[in-house]
Amino acid sequence: MSDGPADFTIMGVVNVTPDSFSDGGRYLDAQAAIAHGLELEAEGAAILDVGGESTRPGADPVPEAEELRRVMPVIEGLLERGSGAQVSIDTSKSSVAARAVQAGATLVNDVTAFRGDPEMAAVVAGAGADCCLMHMLGDPRTMQRDPHYDDVVGEIKAFLEERMAFAVRAGIAEERILLDPGIGFGKTVEHNLELLRRLGEFVALGRPVLIGTSRKTFLGRLTGRDCPDDRVAATVATNVLAYERGARVFRVHDVAPVHDALTVTAATVSPPWTTPRTTTK
Ligand code: HH2
């Protein structure tokens, strides 16, 4: 990995699930998931997001014991093997988040933004962990059934502001919060494009914006690529655009190409070099 200007952070996806939409079943074995996480870190991921429950449209909920059985050996294994990445737990169960932070995870990525489990905000506050607050319309079983908004950006902005205020009231420091408009979570192709186009309006809320377009269905619709693995170029394009519009945290499966693309984009858009001042008499 080069040490170019890194004012962006890549979150590599470590799914320990049989049914995730793009890599379900590939890393169900803990050792395979740990090796995959370490590989993503070597490719440039500064955060590893470990998840044991798919949030794809129509996904069935996973019982707590099963989710713990999937994620805990992976979190423990990553840290035992000396991972220097920040470990994130992708869960909406406070019991899973609590065990994960005890084991050393320091970011809680709850796609319900603390609406799913009444104890979640207290667990995050108590641990002093970072958190990501993401917008989702409804729940994964229903969210893609004809989603409707009168004003997609305005409604999601209001939602994120309300969730941020809720988190702060629960004792979470504002500087620990990331915001995510939730690409693909109860959105049509046009909604997703509008969110990407107007990402700057979320950046204006004052917290780092996380964006998760990786291999998602809307990219397949736009490109005609049915297989999620074939959506890497489309993923890169959306992440470059999102960087340019002000997002700084990028949740992806394909870390190496996104890291290269963002390194070049960052060097171009936010050059780290300051031109030496020439004094003229
Ligand atoms: N997308 C997915 C899961 N978690 N978290 C955040 N904050 N933002 C996202 O856009 C996001 C997320 C869906 O991707 P994946 O984990 O690959 O699929 P699955 O939920 O089927 O496991």
Side-chain angles (χ1 to χ4, degrees):
M1 225 179 91
S2 78
D3 37 35
D7 71 334
F8 60 84
T9 301
I10 297 185
M11 171 188 261
V13 179
V14 183
N15 281 329
V16 199
T17 55
D19 58 343
S20 284
F21 80 97
S22 86
D23 55 1
R26 277 185 216 172
Y27 311 108
L28 200 47
D29 167 67
Q31 293 311 315
I34 294 164
H36 182 60
L38 295 172
E39 194 180 313
L40 296 183
E41 183 180 349
E43 290 176 0
I47 306 175
L48 296 173
D49 191 33
V50 180
E53 177 174 51
S54 172
T55 53
R56 75 184 155 76
D60 286 323
V62 175
E64 175 192 325
E66 175 60 15
E67 196 177 331
L68 285 168
R69 195 191 64 75
R70 291 178 188 174
V71 297
M72 291 310 297
V74 177
I75 293 171
E76 288 159 0
L78 284 169
L79 294 169
E80 274 161 22
R81 300 268 298 270
S83 170
Q86 177 174 26
V87 175
S88 164
I89 174 69
D90 186 348
T91 187
S92 35
K93 295 186 187 71
S94 63
S95 53
V96 175
R99 290 278 302 277
V101 294
Q102 262 167 26
T106 55
L107 196 163
V108 175
N109 179 23
D110 170 12
V111 296
T112 75
F114 303 153
R115 292 173 302 157
D117 182 327
E119 304 301 322
M120 186 62 109
V123 166
V124 174
D130 296 335
C131 63
C132 179
L133 302 178
M134 193 197 80
H135 176 269
M136 168 166 54
L137 191 68
D139 65 53
R141 268 174 299 182
T142 59
M143 66 189 180
Q144 286 307 106
R145 289 185 201 153
D146 200 19
H148 172 80
Y149 303 83
D150 290 325
D151 167 11
V152 67
V153 172
E155 288 170 42
I156 294 176
K157 251 174 74 178
F159 171 88
L160 292 176
E161 282 182 299
E162 187 279 320
R163 287 289 86 195
M164 191 157 49
F166 174 87
V168 169
R169 278 200 306 278
I172 298 169
E174 202 174 311
E175 56 271 20
R176 299 232 164 263
I177 299 174
L178 302 172
L179 300 177
D180 180 352
I183 297 290
F185 286 85
K187 279 97 182 175
T188 62
V189 174
E190 187 44 49
H191 291 143
N192 291 320
L193 294 175
E194 181 79 355
L195 293 175
L196 286 171
R197 221 175 270 135
R198 295 173 56 190
L199 214 50
E201 295 178 46
F202 299 104
V203 175
L205 294 174
R207 297 302 312 144
V209 169
L210 183 152
I211 199 82
T213 60
S214 192
R215 301 182 184 174
K216 284 186 178 169
T217 301
F218 81 110
L219 301 177
R221 295 257 172 80
L222 288 165
T223 57
R225 299 202 182 271
D226 293 336
C227 175
D229 284 347
D230 295 337
R231 299 174 188 157
V232 179
T235 297
V236 169
T238 50
N239 282 296
V240 166
L241 177 90
Y243 177 92
E244 192 273 336
R245 305 274 148 123
R248 286 295 178 267
V249 186
F250 302 86
R251 184 181 184 279
V252 295
H253 303 84
D254 305 286
V255 171
V258 173
H259 188 270
D260 278 3
L262 290 180
T263 299
V264 174
T265 310
T268 312
V269 175
S270 337
W273 304 283
T274 47
T275 317
R277 245 172 201 247
T278 48
T279 45
T280 45
K281 287 199 174 159

